[in-house]
Amino acid sequence: MTVSAIAQAASADVTTGTVTAFPATEAARAARDTRPLRLITCGSVDDGKSTLIGRLLWDTKAVKEDQAATLRRDSGKQNDLGLPDFALLLDGLQAEREQGITIDVAYRYFATDKRSFIVADTPGHEQYTRNMATGASTADLAVLLVDARTGLLEQTRRHATIASLMGIKQFVLAVNKFDLVGYDRARFDQITHEFRELALSLGVRQITAIPMSALKGENVVYDGKASMPWYEGQTLVEVLELATVRSAQTVGFRLPVQRVSRPGESFRGYQGTVAGGSVKPGDSVVILPSGMVANVTKIITFDLVRNAAVAGDAITLVLDRQVDVSRGDMIVSIDSQPQVGLDFDAQLVALQAEGIQPGRRYWLKSGSRRQRVTANPVSQLDLKTGSWTQRTGLLPMNGIGKVHLSFDENAVFDAYEQNRTTGAFILIDPDTNNTVAGGMITAKRSSLTDLRSDEARVILSLPADLADQLMATELFSRRRDETDLRRMTAGEASQIFKDAAVDI
Amino acid sequence: MPSTLPETELHNPQTTKTPLDPHLKALENEAIHIFREVAAEFEKPVMLYSVGKDSSVLLHLARKAFYPGRVPFPLLHVNTGWKFAEMIAFRNDIVKKYDLDFIEHINPRGKAENVTPFTHGSALFTDIMKTEGLRQALDAGGFDAAFGGARRDEEASRAKERIYSFRTPEHRWDPRAQRPELWNIYNGMIRKGESVRAFPLSNWTEVDIWRYIQVEDIPLVPLYYAKERPYVERDGMMILAEDPRLELLPGETIQHGSIRFRTLGDFPLTGAIPSQATNLEEVIAELEIATVSERQGRAIDRDQSGSMEKKKREGYF
Ligand SMILES: Nc1nc2c(ncn2[C@@H]2O[C@H](COP(=O)(O)OP(=O)(O)OP(=O)(O)O)[C@@H](O)[C@H]2O)c(=O)[nH]1
Ligand SMILES: [Mg+2]
């Protein structure tokens, strides 16, 4: 039942910097949110990611006097503008300083009057994509940098794709080094347009594009009106202040059990961090994968016995009966359960040189559970075209692929789209013990799944704007490779339907 | 058979303290999660306890993580013999008060060879008494995981470190080959002899630490609060002049003033700051307008640029 959309060409309308503004209601909610916003900078090598975060720290006064003095001392003569090398505030490893590149992700913390931020500055080098994925996995927002002189590169596309696969829905496109293209507005519009196409194919809708000079601090914290009076949009910091923190999903209660606490004969409590939903005494729960049922009697924390716990809370749960629960089990609400099974579909990013090998047995860790698995590649994303190509052989390093997971024993998952904790996993190589992939569950596989990719197809003719909206949904973009798309005029479309009717 | 916990065993159930704001609550939850994960995955964890404010917060979080049980691993204090006297007294009180398993280690070689910060210089002294001492203690205990209170906001190479930081059997850190660490799924798989340093406070800032201490009412070594104390000025640092082993150099005199410490370590290597902040509110207020970082008072971080990374590669925590 794949949909082939026939639709009119949408004329992209890129006149201002802001492609999609954040809805006002969300902004209002965010203003009251005191949780820090987690963001990453990403993009290709040398596009200015570290410089941007360095500048952000500098302009928000997060750099102390002694650190500033060290920076000036270490900077030497690196640019004609007489400015310090802000990237050195981030590139803290000797090897990074020697080579002038970022190798591993740096975490930094800063605050404005309105909120606090945890920022992960990730490396642009393809070789270190694994470290970019590390930063992206926990982020709420991605600042994607593009060098205004070069535009979008394959690595830019890779980073945008990984960020979006990992569930980041808010993007800032920072068209950087704008000082080096004479603050040319046409160039900005061109890159923004190009990115919008990419974003559409990824199902990303919240995009703010900003022309920027990270080095000179234009449109970072302070506006760049002096050099680009035509740009009326927000500065980076203004966008960040209004962005939303990813909210805990509201599906059923999930508690991956980390350990069983038995301080004395009479007490048995299950310790873990609530990974979804909420729980209160009296609730009926199921222990998975065993399927046993029990009721919650108490929620204990150090400070008090609580009458409820919600996603994110680290708790100790007490049940009303003696049931067999051990580390790796999941305690879940009885009326909204995750999937249990031996076969799942997933998307993953291969992080190490050996790639992901078909048939090889890995360790999979998700939540507190570790079990044996094989991950057989099915298709791989072609970053140049944005389409999935069938490929059952090795998924090479930095490749983004769809895989079939097969377990020896029952596994328990939600779809990543529904729960970013119980739908995420890593693969560990049993020989090296290294983490070789990060993955996201898309669905449980059953015999029905195979029927789904059957012959049945539907041809639709839609108004272009509606089609664009549909294509921007996560569901659609995930299965984009199974669809055919032609853009045409309304007249041509109706002709096709007429012809088809004749054939029938 | 229903599991019960007598109400009397509960810690302070009728607490009236102000609840944590969502930011601190999230940091606390994350730290507790890490504690539990390490305790469950490793055979023999240990917690490095340096008696300072970060260690005090770390200990508080460990007690929360395992409540109503005891902290299921020992605390390890790698002493140098040159700590502030008040630190040792405080440490002994805490160990008794919270019923903790406790190990103290002083490098016997350093002791035998009379290694001091005055005779050997801060770099060599730190190398022998701290880095080597730590390696000895970890090897002797056969520990496969060690909790530390390091924060990423402390220093540029720390900002790069994973929450589970992998170490070779020689305790080396290879910053160029860290394991990817996605979401909050930690990879604790190691071979015999290898180990992991785990950092539950990775995402905390200095201000977070102080605000948490305030809300949670965590006891601290009094040196963190300003008081009239004797000191000498040396190499641009204010050195506390209470220990008889501190010999005055020509031209040095003992001065008195209201001072406090932002970090605590070995008294000859830790500089005080002039301050009037005698309680937590005042310390936090001072901090929020501070123009220099907390590490500025530490001789060991200033010895050479990139010195922290170098020390960490060699096994320093
Ligand atoms: N003229 C100009 N130069 C810039 C700007 N932003 C960054 N640069 C320069 O570009 C170079 C690379 O900057 P970095 O910040 O190290 O780039 P990066 O994206 O962090 O690089 P990797 O992390 O290695 O991928 C440095 O020499 C910066 O000074 C800008 O806005 N204008
Ligand atoms: Mg960089």
Side-chain angles (χ1 to χ4, degrees):
Chain A
M1 41 176 258
T2 308
V3 174
S4 306
I6 300 178
Q8 279 172 268
S11 64
D13 171 31
V14 186
T15 45
T16 68
T18 306
V19 176
T20 309
F22 300 107
T25 48
E26 288 200 15
R29 210 182 317 135
R32 286 195 303 273
D33 200 340
T34 59
R35 287 174 301 169
L37 181 81
R38 302 188 71 126
L39 66 129
I40 54 166
T41 50
C42 56
S44 191
V45 123
D46 264 358
D47 285 352
K49 298 175 288 298
S50 304
T51 305
L52 174 61
I53 298 307
R55 186 80 213 197
L56 205 52
L57 296 172
W58 187 268
D59 286 349
T60 54
K61 316 278 182 290
V63 181
K64 302 291 185 189
E65 274 171 17
D66 51 319
Q67 296 162 333
T70 309
L71 175 65
R72 288 215 178 79
R73 192 193 66 209
D74 292 350
S75 283
K77 213 185 116 46
Q78 68 97 39
N79 54 55
D80 321 327
L81 301 165
L83 292 165
D85 184 357
F86 295 108
L88 290 179
L89 290 170
L90 282 299
D91 293 336
L93 300 176
Q94 298 272 299
E96 294 178 324
R97 287 160 170 263
E98 280 158 25
Q99 298 171 44
I101 60 162
T102 303
I103 291 173
D104 212 331
V105 51
Y107 295 92
R108 286 288 154 140
Y109 311 84
F110 70 98
T112 64
D113 296 341
K114 299 211 173 65
R115 82 174 338 164
S116 62
F117 302 90
I118 299 179
V119 35
D121 174 43
T122 73
H125 257 270
E126 185 179 350
Q127 190 189 345
Y128 304 116
T129 300
R130 57 176 176 270
N131 299 332
M132 178 271 168
T134 291
S137 65
T138 51
D140 307 303
L141 178 147
V143 180
L144 184 73
L145 278 89
V146 176
D147 186 328
R149 297 170 299 180
T150 52
L152 266 61
L153 302 172
E154 177 169 329
Q155 185 67 348
T156 323
R157 292 173 188 275
R158 177 176 284 110
H159 277 190
T161 307
I162 292 173
S164 125
L165 280 181
M166 291 193 154
I168 299 177
K169 296 194 164 46
Q170 308 170 80
F171 277 73
V172 173
L173 176 73
V175 181
N176 192 37
K177 306 199 184 180
F178 218 52
D179 51 308
L180 300 180
V181 294
Y183 300 100
D184 175 15
R185 181 178 184 169
R187 185 72 189 132
F188 174 69
D189 291 345
Q190 189 187 353
I191 292 173
T192 306
H193 177 76
E194 208 184 330
F195 178 68
R196 204 187 165 204
E197 301 265 286
L198 170 63
L200 206 58
S201 76
L202 295 173
V204 170
R205 286 153 70 188
Q206 293 193 6
I207 310 155
T208 309
I210 305 175
M212 198 178 284
S213 171
L215 185 60
K216 296 172 77 176
E218 290 168 329
N219 286 333
V220 181
V221 172
Y222 302 108
D223 70 50
K225 288 250 154 37
S227 335
M228 344 167 211
W230 51 269
Y231 176 75
E232 315 234 287
Q234 296 160 296
T235 62
L236 177 61
V237 149
E238 283 165 355
V239 177
L240 298 182
E241 284 178 340
L242 293 178
T244 48
V245 172
R246 77 169 64 164
S247 53
Q249 293 80 355
T250 48
V251 291
F253 171 66
R254 304 281 184 266
L255 184 79
V257 176
Q258 288 185 282
R259 62 192 295 277
V260 180
S261 169
R262 295 218 62 179
E265 275 308 299
S266 64
F267 182 84
R268 181 188 277 263
Y270 306 106
Q271 303 191 313
T273 305
V274 180
S278 62
V279 67
K280 57 185 189 321
D283 283 359
S284 294
V285 292
V286 181
I287 292 99
L288 294 178
S290 73
M292 286 179 299
V293 175
N295 299 304
V296 174
T297 54
K298 260 192 197 135
I299 303 163
I300 292 174
T301 65
F302 182 81
D303 300 292
L304 65 169
V305 175
R306 298 169 54 152
N307 45 28
V310 297
D313 289 346
I315 58 167
T316 301
L317 205 66
V318 180
L319 301 178
D320 67 341
R321 66 194 78 167
Q322 197 102 46
V323 280
D324 184 8
V325 184
S326 47
R327 173 172 166 82
D329 289 349
M330 208 190 293
I331 302 178
V332 308
S333 55
I334 203 159
D335 46 6
S336 167
Q337 300 186 23
Q339 306 271 18
V340 180
L342 295 172
D343 298 284
F344 285 85
D345 285 332
Q347 296 183 331
L348 54 75
V349 185
L351 302 172
Q352 305 290 353
E354 318 83 64
I356 295 299
Q357 298 156 25
R360 185 170 166 79
R361 280 159 62 77
Y362 295 98
W363 283 110
L364 177 145
K365 191 176 177 193
S366 174
S368 54
R369 190 174 179 85
R370 202 180 73 193
Q371 55 193 131
R372 286 299 190 133
V373 72
T374 54
N376 289 315
V378 182
S379 59
Q380 190 186 341
L381 187 68
D382 180 348
L383 289 164
K384 285 197 192 74
T385 61
S387 63
W388 294 89
T389 42
Q390 201 175 337
R391 180 163 179 171
T392 51
L394 174 106
L395 179 68
M397 168 147 114
N398 302 330
I400 298 166
K402 293 186 179 180
V403 297
H404 287 170
L405 300 177
S406 310
F407 295 91
D408 304 344
E409 295 175 343
N410 269 332
V412 182
F413 290 110
D414 286 294
Y416 186 71
E417 198 181 301
Q418 259 126 47
N419 190 316
R420 283 180 80 168
T421 307
T422 52
F425 63 88
I426 58 171
L427 294 184
I428 300 168
D429 185 299
D431 292 341
T432 62
N433 284 338
N434 205 347
T435 305
V436 294
M440 286 87 27
I441 297 292
T442 45
K444 179 183 160 183
R445 266 156 54 79
S446 56
S447 41
L448 271 179
T449 322
D450 298 326
L451 284 179
R452 205 174 60 188
S453 57
D454 212 344
E455 295 297 274
R457 299 186 71 89
V458 173
I459 294 186
L460 280 175
S461 170
L462 308 171
D465 59 333
L466 176 58
D468 284 338
Q469 277 180 29
L470 286 176
M471 286 188 290
T473 61
E474 226 163 294
L475 182 65
F476 189 96
S477 66
R478 226 179 329 111
R479 302 184 59 190
R480 181 73 173 77
D481 53 321
E482 300 169 46
T483 66
D484 292 316
L485 179 82
R486 299 278 181 286
R487 293 181 184 271
M488 60 191 69
T489 64
E492 286 166 343
S494 66
Q495 189 58 45
I496 287 178
F497 273 85
K498 267 200 211 107
D499 295 349
V502 170
D503 287 348
I504 297 162
Chain B
M1 182 205 74
S3 296
T4 52
L5 180 73
E7 293 298 325
T8 49
E9 277 182 38
L10 286 175
H11 162 90
N12 201 14
Q14 250 65 60
T15 182
T16 52
K17 78 171 220 266
T18 37
L20 291 172
D21 65 53
H23 175 73
L24 288 180
K25 188 74 202 161
L27 290 171
E28 179 186 82
N29 283 329
E30 179 183 57
I32 290 175
H33 183 86
I34 295 163
F35 266 120
R36 289 171 172 175
E37 200 62 11
V38 173
E41 278 199 309
F42 290 85
E43 275 168 32
K44 219 175 165 199
V46 66
M47 184 179 125
L48 305 175
Y49 178 71
S50 72
V51 203
K53 64 179 192 308
D54 300 308
S55 285
S56 299
V57 168
L58 199 63
L59 175 60
H60 187 74
L61 290 163
R63 292 175 56 231
K64 283 197 170 194
F66 301 106
Y67 176 83
R70 282 180 88 224
V71 175
F73 39 76
L75 268 57
L76 167 64
H77 183 213
V78 179
N79 199 347
T80 59
W82 293 86
K83 301 290 168 192
F84 294 92
E86 276 181 75
M87 288 171 75
I88 304 301
F90 177 88
R91 178 198 79 185
N92 296 342
D93 280 354
I94 290 287
V95 168
K96 210 185 305 152
K97 183 169 161 197
Y98 296 138
D99 178 31
L100 301 162
D101 295 330
F102 179 73
I103 302 166
E104 176 173 25
H105 180 83
I106 303 184
N107 184 346
R109 175 172 88 96
K111 228 171 156 178
E113 293 175 14
N114 232 330
V115 174
T116 79
F118 304 121
T119 50
H120 291 67
S122 71
L124 187 57
F125 169 79
T126 304
D127 237 28
I128 297 171
M129 298 312 288
K130 286 193 175 159
T131 310
E132 188 181 302
L134 176 62
R135 285 199 304 252
Q136 289 168 345
L138 292 177
D139 288 341
F143 299 113
D144 56 355
F147 293 101
R151 291 177 283 112
R152 286 170 174 158
D153 86 325
E154 283 178 75
E155 195 268 342
S157 68
R158 286 238 199 262
K160 298 266 163 182
E161 196 163 10
R162 300 282 190 258
I163 287 176
Y164 271 33
S165 184
F166 178 83
R167 302 301 163 106
T168 65
E170 297 75 39
H171 303 282
R172 285 180 184 280
W173 179 55
D174 182 357
R176 300 194 59 177
Q178 298 197 87
R179 289 176 178 177
E181 191 168 78
L182 294 95
W183 299 285
N184 62 350
I185 310 175
Y186 304 108
N187 176 355
M189 294 192 64
I190 53 168
R191 291 202 191 86
K192 207 170 161 41
E194 295 169 344
S195 64
V196 155
R197 305 279 168 90
F199 298 111
L201 303 181
S202 289
N203 289 321
W204 296 54
T205 65
E206 190 186 9
V207 175
D208 295 331
I209 292 287
W210 282 110
R211 286 181 49 235
Y212 189 74
I213 288 169
Q214 181 179 35
V215 184
E216 294 288 306
D217 199 13
I218 299 171
L220 288 186
V221 182
L223 290 165
Y224 283 113
Y225 304 112
K227 205 177 103 177
E228 193 74 7
R229 295 184 172 101
Y231 66 90
V232 297
E233 291 220 37
R234 182 177 293 177
D235 301 333
M237 292 200 304
M238 300 164 80
I239 305 291
L240 188 72
E242 274 179 0
D243 194 301
R245 290 174 294 179
L246 179 77
E247 285 168 25
L248 293 189
L249 302 176
E252 283 181 348
T253 54
I254 293 191
Q255 305 174 50
H256 290 266
S258 178
I259 59 171
R260 68 177 182 90
F261 293 83
R262 274 176 88 177
T263 64
L264 291 181
D266 300 307
F267 80 83
L269 303 176
T270 312
I273 54 167
S275 167
Q276 303 299 325
T278 57
N279 58 43
L280 264 171
E281 290 77 57
E282 290 166 8
V283 167
I284 293 172
E286 228 178 62
L287 191 71
E288 274 163 357
I289 54 164
T291 55
V292 295
S293 76
E294 66 186 307
R295 294 238 141 214
Q296 214 224 2
R298 290 204 173 187
I300 67 161
D301 294 345
R302 296 191 303 180
D303 277 346
Q304 58 194 126
S305 78
S307 65
M308 178 62 82
E309 179 182 344
K310 193 169 159 290
K311 281 201 284 288
K312 286 168 69 65
R313 283 163 171 274
E314 285 156 11
Y316 186 72
F317 74 85

